Amino acid sequence: IRPPYIMKVLTDRLADNAIISLDVGENCWWFGRNFQMKKTQKMVMSGLLGSMGFGLPGAMAAALAYPDRQIVCITGDGGFTMVMPDFLTALKYNLPVKVFVMNNKSLGMIKQEQKVEGYESWQTDLYDYSFADYAEHSGGLGIKVTEPSDMVGAVEKALASKKAVIVDIDTDPRRFP
C-alpha cells in the first residue's frame, strides 16, 4: 500500500483534536509530505535527536496527559520493533493508543540514506513479522491490512476501539514509483 494513500486515509479519519505521535524514520517523510494536519490537532516527535522508537512511548505519554483525546502513533516496523514491550504497558494501564505500523519490512530511511550516498543497501532488511498477531496475543486489538481497499475499514475499526490497537499495514517499500 502506497504511503501517500495511508496518510490520506488517516488525514480524513483522525479526530479534529487527535494527538499524533510520530516515530523517527521514513514514516516522518510520508507524514510531512502527505498528512494534512488540522490546527486543532497536536503532533509530537523526537526532532533533534531522531531517536527511533519514540512513537509509542510518546503516544502513551500523550494518553496520560490527555485521557479524553484520540491518541495515535504513526511508526515504521523498525522503530516499533525497538519498543514492542511498551505495548504491554499500554494494555496494563488501559491506554487506548492506536498504533499504525507502516510495515515495509526494512529500515526504509537508512536504506534511502545509503542509496543517496552511493552505497549498496546493507543490513536494512527486517524480519517479516505480524504485529497484528502480537497485539491479539497480548490482549489488544490487532488488524492486518494487505490491500488498499481494506485501509479505510481498518482505520475506522481501530479508531472505534476502546483498547490499545496495532494496525499492521503492508507498505510499499519503494519510496518513489
Side-chain angles (χ1 to χ4, degrees):
I1 302 170
R2 301 288 292 151
Y5 177 67
I6 296 167
M7 292 303 157
K8 167 81 169 105
V9 171
L10 292 174
T11 294
D12 292 345
R13 282 164 183 78
L14 295 188
D16 288 347
N17 69 344
I19 299 176
I20 304 153
S21 181
L22 284 181
D23 211 325
V24 171
E26 204 172 34
N27 55 283
C28 283
W29 290 342
W30 294 117
F31 182 87
R33 292 176 184 205
N34 298 282
F35 191 89
Q36 299 298 311
M37 211 158 161
K38 297 172 182 77
K39 291 180 181 181
T40 52
Q41 293 172 328
K42 293 184 183 290
M43 188 260 309
V44 295
M45 67 181 290
S46 174
L48 295 175
L49 296 176
S51 304
M52 282 180 72
F54 173 86
L56 179 55
M60 292 167 56
L64 291 169
Y66 299 94
D68 296 328
R69 292 176 76 168
Q70 183 184 79
I71 310 296
V72 172
C73 167
I74 300 174
T75 184
D77 47 343
F80 183 70
T81 300
M82 294 180 169
V83 296
M84 284 175 63
D86 288 351
F87 188 74
L88 299 176
T89 303
L91 291 169
K92 177 181 177 180
Y93 292 104
N94 297 312
L95 301 175
V97 296
K98 314 309 182 212
V99 182
F100 294 92
V101 180
M102 299 178 69
N103 189 347
N104 62 9
K105 297 158 193 64
S106 72
L107 297 172
M109 187 170 160
I110 302 300
K111 187 178 278 193
Q112 291 302 320
E113 289 173 339
Q114 289 174 350
K115 184 178 179 180
V116 166
E117 294 298 321
Y119 297 109
E120 288 185 37
S121 179
W122 186 73
Q123 297 295 319
T124 57
D125 293 334
L126 298 176
Y127 182 72
D128 187 5
Y129 185 76
S130 175
F131 300 107
D133 285 351
Y134 174 74
E136 288 292 320
H137 292 283
S138 300
L141 174 61
I143 303 169
K144 180 69 175 172
V145 184
T146 59
E147 298 295 328
S149 59
D150 297 332
M151 188 69 202
V152 170
V155 170
E156 290 174 351
K157 182 177 180 179
L159 296 176
S161 177
K162 299 288 187 208
K163 59 181 166 178
V165 179
I166 298 174
V167 181
D168 183 354
I169 308 163
D170 277 350
T171 306
D172 190 340
R174 297 170 299 162
R175 184 158 178 234
F176 299 106

